[in-house]
Amino acid sequence: MAGRILITTDYLHAGDAVYDLLRGHGLEPVYAPSRGSRTLKERRSLFEGISGAILASEPVTADMLSAAASLKVIARSGVGYDSIDVQAAAAQGIRVCNAPGTNHHSVAELAIGLIIMSARRLLEVTTAVRQGGWPREAGHELRGSTLGIVGYGASGRATASLGAALGMNVLVSTAHPDPANATFQYTDLDTVIAGADYLSLHARGGQSSGKLIDAPRLQTMKPTAVLINTARGSLVDEQALAKALSDGTIAGAALDVLGSEPLPGDSPLGGLENVLITSHLAGQTIEARARAGLAAAHAVIDVLENREPAHPVDR
């Protein structure tokens, strides 16, 4: 078997485990790292002569796929796939896969890290110390506070478990509660939002009925609450969030994902002192990257060798 495999995930490179795996199956890796926007010409030619693709989270549109005559499979080196036009791919017989279960520990650890940073005001403290200050304002313990989890997939479950280990009371909004786990309280979405001291989002994007966290729901949160989003930027109405942060409707936010990345210069969130923004790093640990890259490579190989991939998102 022969075939050229496009790799746009910027941390994958010639000589690594993914390269060796693909080469071992007679495939030729072709690297075009995703590091910002591509021109229209680059997008339209990206899949020319390509049999399979291991992709970062860059957009894949119907227009791009229309020129992908030889493409058989797209595998995301991550969990999210809302950047891919799955319907257009399916119409051309192109399989689309993702790599769930590869980064949930990394996501959960960052979510808890952001909660700790917010509770102890570590961004303000470290900034002030660097500028010559020595602030001594009190923060908050997590023990006894309420952690709200929205979305109970792998990362939501892992975050809930870490929160419980820290002594937090855990409220979970999910259509699929775990009856064997009585550590958490399973309830409806609005109860979780209203009851959380720290509201951590782990739901999928693409909400057909609008933003999951919008102005009315922000109004129901505690004025001392902090919103944490390590899931999808599309879940949050950022204009409404900026207003809620400015007028004290909620105390703070910690965001690893945004509606538009990198943070636009005119974003209303950019100048706020009570929002902590990181650069889409939740799943970006060395360990998670290794698992995700190999999972995506196995998906490509399975499809090209006429086997059903482990994690298709198109069926």
Side-chain angles (χ1 to χ4, degrees):
M1 181 185 68
R4 301 174 77 234
I5 308 303
L6 172 70
I7 300 177
T8 73
T9 304
D10 62 1
Y11 57 79
L12 299 177
H13 55 83
D16 65 10
V18 168
Y19 175 89
D20 290 342
L21 178 62
L22 294 173
R23 294 287 293 177
H25 285 261
L27 300 168
E28 178 190 353
V30 177
Y31 296 90
S34 174
R35 293 173 180 152
S37 300
R38 301 184 194 271
T39 66
L40 179 60
K41 182 179 179 180
E42 288 171 337
R43 292 198 302 273
R44 286 180 171 171
S45 64
L46 193 61
F47 298 114
E48 288 181 1
I50 295 298
S51 300
I54 297 173
L55 300 186
S57 57
E58 64 184 307
V60 177
T61 64
D63 183 53
M64 293 169 65
L65 293 171
S66 66
S70 58
L71 187 63
K72 299 292 189 294
V73 54
I74 295 171
R76 273 280 292 113
S77 56
V79 179
Y81 56 89
D82 44 329
S83 59
I84 301 171
D85 190 329
V86 177
Q87 279 191 316
Q92 293 183 216
I94 300 167
R95 302 302 306 275
V96 180
C97 312
N98 67 342
T102 57
N103 67 5
H104 58 282
H105 292 303
S106 300
V107 172
E109 288 175 10
L110 184 69
I112 293 297
L114 293 173
I115 290 171
I116 292 172
M117 288 190 72
S118 299
R120 301 304 295 269
R121 302 178 61 194
L122 295 184
L123 177 62
E124 300 99 305
V125 170
T126 55
T127 299
V129 170
R130 192 176 296 114
Q131 295 172 347
W134 199 249
R136 299 281 293 159
E137 289 85 356
H140 292 278
E141 290 186 356
L142 298 185
R143 181 171 297 276
S145 66
T146 298
L147 171 61
I149 300 289
V150 177
Y152 199 51
S155 67
R157 291 194 298 272
T159 305
S161 295
L162 290 178
L166 290 169
M168 303 178 81
N169 304 310
V170 181
L171 298 178
V172 177
S173 167
T174 176
H176 306 285
D178 181 3
N181 190 339
T183 306
F184 315 138
Q185 179 182 343
Y186 303 97
T187 185
D188 62 276
L189 175 62
D190 290 329
T191 298
V192 172
I193 291 173
D197 295 302
Y198 303 93
L199 181 66
S200 189
L201 306 184
H202 300 274
R204 295 180 178 179
Q207 302 292 320
S208 59
S209 58
K211 303 295 185 182
L212 182 69
I213 304 299
D214 56 11
R217 282 191 166 134
L218 287 164
Q219 289 291 332
T220 69
M221 292 177 68
K222 297 177 180 179
T224 54
V226 177
L227 174 69
I228 298 92
N229 189 8
T230 56
R232 302 285 180 272
S234 59
L235 295 173
V236 177
D237 182 334
E238 292 178 2
Q239 294 286 339
L241 175 60
K243 184 176 185 303
L245 291 166
S246 297
D247 62 21
T249 299
I250 65 172
L255 311 173
D256 185 56
V257 288
L258 300 167
S260 180
E261 298 176 356
L263 179 70
D266 60 352
S267 170
L269 297 170
L272 298 176
E273 294 185 357
N274 55 346
V275 60
L276 170 63
I277 299 176
T278 52
S279 51
H280 206 144
L281 292 172
Q284 301 304 311
T285 61
I286 291 171
E287 296 82 1
R289 284 178 168 186
R291 291 190 294 265
L294 286 171
H298 279 295
V300 166
I301 291 166
D302 284 343
V303 171
L304 295 182
E305 294 184 352
N306 299 311
R307 293 187 296 271
E308 181 66 13
H311 300 291
V313 300
D314 50 3
R315 293 181 182 175

